């Protein structure tokens, strides 16, 4: 029987790369007392599919409804700042409609469309190395059909 040490409990998270006409939907969010840049992302909730979680997080953090169209990647990242390991599933989303009447989720300062050059120029402010890795994966066409996993 495999035993997972009490101090090692990976956090299951999702993120979504949303691109429209060369601009990427990003969020400025508060983390550890500073403002950082990230894709719309968050934690999986009980009884929620990964795809539903991705759609919910994009809507809560950006006010944008999206269609999840493909899987971009699955990554592990261990943050030295908080000693947490994140198991992140990253999707590609297609923007459908902005729900301007909604407010942004707690901790989200701003949702903005940014060029790749602007994102790169702010690399020291990325929430994690996965931010740029996900955009690079997206640009290199590493997209996988949603049918490769089941929920």
């Amino acid at each position: 029987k495999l035993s997972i040490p009490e101090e090692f409990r990976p956090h299951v998270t999702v993120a979504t790369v949303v691109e429209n006409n060369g601009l990427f939907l990003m969020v400025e969010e508060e983390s550890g007392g500073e403002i950082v840049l990230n894709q719309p992302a968050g934690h999986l909730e009980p009884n929620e599919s990964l795809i539903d979680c991705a759609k919910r997080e994009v809507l809560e953090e950006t006010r944008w409804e999206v269609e999840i169209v493909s899987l971009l990647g699955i990554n592990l990242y261990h943050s030295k700042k908080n000693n947490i390991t994140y198991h992140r599933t990253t999707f590609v989303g297609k923007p459908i409609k902005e729900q301007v009447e909604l407010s942004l989720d707690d901790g989200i300062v701003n949702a903005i469309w940014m060029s790749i050059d602007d994102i790169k120029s702010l690399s020291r402010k990325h929430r994690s190395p996965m931010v740029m890795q996900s955009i690079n994966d997206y640009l290199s066409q590493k997209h996988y059909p949603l049918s490769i996993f089941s929920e």
Side-chain angles (χ1 to χ4, degrees):
K1 180 179 176 186
L2 180 62
S3 173
I4 298 174
E6 187 68 33
E7 67 277 1
F8 182 70
R9 302 250 184 227
H11 289 220
V12 177
T13 62
V14 299
T16 305
V17 173
V18 181
E19 183 263 339
N20 191 22
N21 295 320
L23 299 177
F24 292 87
L25 183 57
M26 305 296 289
V27 295
E28 293 176 313
E29 61 186 350
E30 187 178 345
S31 177
E34 60 183 346
I35 304 302
V36 295
L37 190 65
N38 200 5
Q39 282 93 16
H43 289 80
L44 182 69
E45 293 185 355
N47 301 314
E48 183 176 48
S49 74
L50 291 169
I51 291 170
D52 287 344
C53 179
K55 291 193 285 190
R56 175 184 54 78
E57 287 292 348
V58 173
L59 184 62
E60 289 177 353
E61 294 190 355
T62 70
R63 297 185 292 258
W64 274 90
E65 288 181 33
V66 296
E67 175 189 357
I68 302 300
V69 295
S70 60
L71 174 67
L72 196 56
I74 300 170
N75 304 91
L76 283 178
Y77 170 69
H78 182 80
S79 172
K80 293 178 182 170
K81 290 183 180 179
N82 60 14
N83 201 32
I84 293 175
T85 297
Y86 296 91
H87 182 270
R88 176 176 162 170
T89 303
T90 306
F91 294 98
V92 174
K94 175 183 168 187
I96 303 297
K97 180 180 179 186
E98 185 178 16
Q99 299 291 341
V100 293
E101 73 281 359
L102 298 178
S103 14
L104 298 175
D105 211 2
D106 288 342
I108 303 298
V109 176
N110 198 14
I112 50 176
W113 291 95
M114 299 179 74
S115 71
I116 186 73
D117 291 337
D118 290 340
I119 295 167
K120 285 179 180 177
S121 73
L122 295 171
S123 63
R124 64 182 173 77
K125 292 287 191 177
H126 291 181
R127 176 142 188 174
S128 78
M130 290 187 293
V131 173
M132 202 65 229
Q133 178 184 346
S134 295
I135 290 174
N136 288 334
D137 288 348
Y138 174 84
L139 293 171
S140 68
Q141 300 295 313
K142 291 183 181 180
H143 304 195
Y144 304 96
L146 296 175
S147 61
I148 68 170
F149 66 96
S150 62
E151 299 198 51

